[in-house]
Amino acid sequence: SRGLGSVSKRQPPLVPYTMAAQDAWVARWTAWCERIVAPSLIEKSGPIPSESKEDIKARERVEQWKDDLLRTSPMVRFMVKHLALIQCDPLTPRGEHASKAAPPKRRLASGPPDSAGGFSPSPPGRPPSEAGILLCANRLFSKAHLEDTLSHEMIHWWDHCRFHVDWNNLRHHACSEIRAASLSGDCRWTREINRRHYGFAKQHQACARRRAILSVRSNSLCKDDATAERVVDDVWDSCFHDTRPFDEIY
């Protein structure tokens, strides 16, 4: 079967999976998981150490939005269905044989000011179903914002499960970022207006490229802006036009 875009071609040598080799945001989340989330709490909700009253209120609000979206959002329900079809159901609890190093499947918490969410790959040598998503309740400002963020991270998860993405390979990383930005709703025109990015000619493509470059640039293996731009451009044609599991960009 076809791989993820064209990233199976001309791959650079693989490097060991290390904390330093992860996306900067994933590294921060991994450190957070190791510090705060005991294995016994991985699938549970509830207060998190050091939460402020505002954090608790935000988490409870986003929890309600999340439950609503799981029932009513065509996009979220579609991604849940297609993750389940490839044995990566994001809703079922982890099995008893899951690694204790696995991140939470879904975790609501306060996050850094530059992100609304993040994706954490499964631990080395473990199945891709042991990946997880963090939603930053204090950075999610509406149900629509949550819908786009949740969809974005679930597209990363689908890529991780379907294509066994190597997140230390910048071409793999770039391809999944292009797809997640393009397919999730992240780059719809109204979202771009709110970001003060105005344009009509190929606005969607410009948004997906810009956001993919920013994400790749935050990867500790990316040495500079030029490298991030070159990697995104190298895989752009195949990855932007690869709309799986959707039939087209909606």
Side-chain angles (χ1 to χ4, degrees):
S1 60
R2 290 187 297 141
L4 180 58
S6 64
V7 296
S8 61
K9 302 177 182 177
R10 299 189 295 123
Q11 292 180 11
L14 300 184
V15 297
Y17 184 108
T18 64
M19 173 73 79
Q22 297 182 53
D23 175 270
W25 165 235
V26 173
R28 294 203 301 277
W29 182 28
T30 302
W32 172 86
C33 287
E34 292 173 349
R35 185 176 69 253
I36 293 179
V37 186
S40 62
L41 297 179
I42 278 179
E43 293 299 339
K44 299 180 181 179
S45 297
I48 297 170
S50 303
E51 272 192 313
S52 68
K53 290 182 179 179
E54 292 76 14
D55 290 337
I56 293 171
K57 185 176 179 180
R59 178 170 51 78
E60 290 175 345
R61 179 179 65 247
V62 172
E63 185 81 53
Q64 181 61 57
W65 288 343
K66 176 178 67 68
D67 290 344
D68 290 345
L69 290 170
L70 287 169
R71 290 193 305 270
T72 64
S73 166
M75 169 68 87
V76 172
R77 289 171 60 87
F78 179 89
M79 286 309 305
V80 168
K81 173 185 174 181
H82 281 267
L83 280 165
L85 287 173
I86 54 174
Q87 289 73 55
C88 285
D89 190 335
L91 302 184
T92 58
R94 297 223 185 271
E96 60 181 10
H97 300 298
S99 168
K100 291 184 178 180
K105 275 194 173 184
R106 306 169 314 280
R107 186 68 182 178
L108 282 173
S110 295
D114 58 345
S115 296
F119 173 73
S120 184
S122 47
R126 300 299 301 176
S129 59
E130 293 188 12
I133 290 171
L134 173 67
L135 298 172
C136 300
N138 61 323
R139 304 302 302 167
L140 291 162
F141 305 116
S142 69
K143 189 188 292 187
H145 187 195
L146 173 60
E147 182 177 32
D148 291 347
T149 301
L150 192 54
S151 301
H152 182 112
E153 305 307 338
M154 285 199 290
I155 290 167
H156 282 320
W157 200 344
W158 194 86
D159 286 351
H160 184 67
C161 293
R162 177 66 178 79
F163 303 116
H164 303 285
V165 174
D166 172 15
W167 299 96
N168 295 319
N169 182 325
L170 294 183
R171 292 168 64 83
H172 285 206
H173 185 179
C175 194
S176 191
E177 292 293 351
I178 290 167
R179 284 169 37 76
S182 175
L183 298 172
S184 66
D186 238 359
C187 284
R188 67 168 59 94
W189 189 74
T190 52
R191 289 293 305 276
E192 281 290 85
I193 290 296
N194 289 336
R195 298 183 185 117
R196 301 182 183 278
H197 290 285
Y198 307 102
F200 294 95
K202 296 190 175 182
Q203 170 271 330
H204 183 88
Q205 291 91 327
C207 169
R209 181 178 181 275
R210 184 187 74 250
R211 294 181 69 78
I213 289 170
L214 288 171
S215 292
V216 172
R217 183 64 186 95
S218 71
N219 189 315
S220 60
L221 293 177
C222 182
K223 62 182 182 180
D224 53 33
D225 293 347
T227 299
E229 292 183 15
R230 187 189 73 250
V231 169
V232 169
D233 289 342
D234 281 350
V235 301
W236 174 264
D237 285 341
S238 58
C239 297
F240 180 76
H241 293 101
D242 185 347
T243 63
R244 290 174 289 176
F246 303 92
D247 293 329
E248 59 184 336
I249 298 172
Y250 293 97

